[in-house]
Amino acid sequence: MIIINKISHIHYAYFPHSKLAEVELESLLINHLKYIIHKGFSLIELVISLGIVSVLIMVAEPQYNNYVAKAQVIEAVNIITGARVAVIEHKATHGRWPTIQELTQIYPLVSNIYAKTKYIQELYNSSDNGINGKYSISVVFKTENISSLIAGNELHFSTSFNSSGSNWVCESEIRQDALPSSCIGI
């Protein structure tokens, strides 16, 4: 009220005969002070906004987990994709599938796999070395500091080599929605 009295006295000094202008000025100041004093949110506004945010989190969190798992699986897919070319070249040149030691020599990224990846625990291969034998490159994911959707699971790329070439198949225990499209479409 002190502010209103000071302003109204100043206003009255310039306009001594305008009592109506003084009342309007006081009304404006009171409304302005009410606006300044009411700076917070009501409880219902906070509860509604909290509800909206929780629904958004409930919808977004599973999708976020899928994207994290896909990104971690893509690391393994990229390493195996490069190794696949080296495996087919070795089979065409030597007439047999490479061992894991030979694979590390012809595709050096595989030899550094234990030290350089955050998500891959082990890489191994298997083959039956028949004329149309099957060959498989497999990755075992770590169990710690990794998405729970892929922790401890394996990702296998297998192929068979025949006169028409090779066809790679991606197989895994990982849920389909956590696999990247590059693995699903192979």
Side-chain angles (χ1 to χ4, degrees):
M1 281 312 217
I2 296 172
I3 297 173
I4 294 173
N5 286 336
K6 285 184 178 180
I7 292 177
S8 63
H9 289 301
I10 293 170
H11 182 268
Y12 188 70
Y14 288 109
F15 304 103
H17 302 293
S18 172
K19 198 67 169 161
L20 182 62
E22 184 178 331
V23 171
E24 287 178 11
L25 179 63
E26 283 183 23
S27 172
L28 273 169
L29 285 172
I30 289 172
N31 286 338
H32 182 67
L33 286 176
K34 284 182 183 176
Y35 176 75
I36 290 174
I37 291 171
H38 183 277
K39 286 185 176 180
F41 295 103
S42 69
L43 182 61
I44 192 71
E45 290 171 330
L46 291 174
V47 169
I48 289 171
S49 63
L50 183 63
I52 291 170
V53 168
S54 63
V55 167
L56 290 174
I57 289 173
M58 187 172 48
V59 169
E61 194 261 339
Q63 290 301 318
Y64 173 75
N65 287 340
N66 285 344
Y67 288 128
V68 169
K70 283 181 186 180
Q72 293 171 348
V73 171
I74 285 173
E75 177 181 318
V77 171
N78 287 340
I79 289 172
I80 292 175
T81 300
R84 289 185 320 183
V85 173
V87 164
I88 295 301
E89 287 178 5
H90 187 277
K91 173 70 172 173
T93 306
H94 297 95
R96 62 179 176 76
W97 298 112
T99 63
I100 194 70
Q101 291 79 18
E102 290 172 326
L103 185 58
T104 58
Q105 291 172 355
I106 58 177
Y107 188 64
L109 182 59
V110 176
S111 63
N112 297 327
I113 196 163
Y114 302 106
K116 291 200 175 187
T117 62
K118 292 169 37 175
Y119 311 116
I120 297 173
Q121 177 179 328
E122 182 183 359
L123 175 79
Y124 65 92
N125 66 347
S126 62
S127 68
D128 63 6
N129 272 327
I131 200 121
N132 289 324
K134 296 192 182 280
Y135 184 81
S136 174
I137 304 174
S138 302
V139 169
V140 179
F141 290 99
K142 292 182 178 179
T143 56
E144 295 178 5
N145 300 327
I146 193 166
S147 171
S148 61
L149 298 175
I150 63 171
N153 287 324
E154 294 185 14
L155 181 67
H156 310 281
F157 279 84
S158 57
T159 188
S160 58
F161 190 80
N162 53 37
S163 59
S164 62
S166 65
N167 183 28
W168 289 91
V169 178
C170 180
E171 301 165 332
S172 180
E173 304 133 5
I174 300 170
R175 292 185 351 207
Q176 289 292 317
D177 57 346
L179 289 173
S181 60
S182 60
C183 187
I184 296 170
I186 292 178

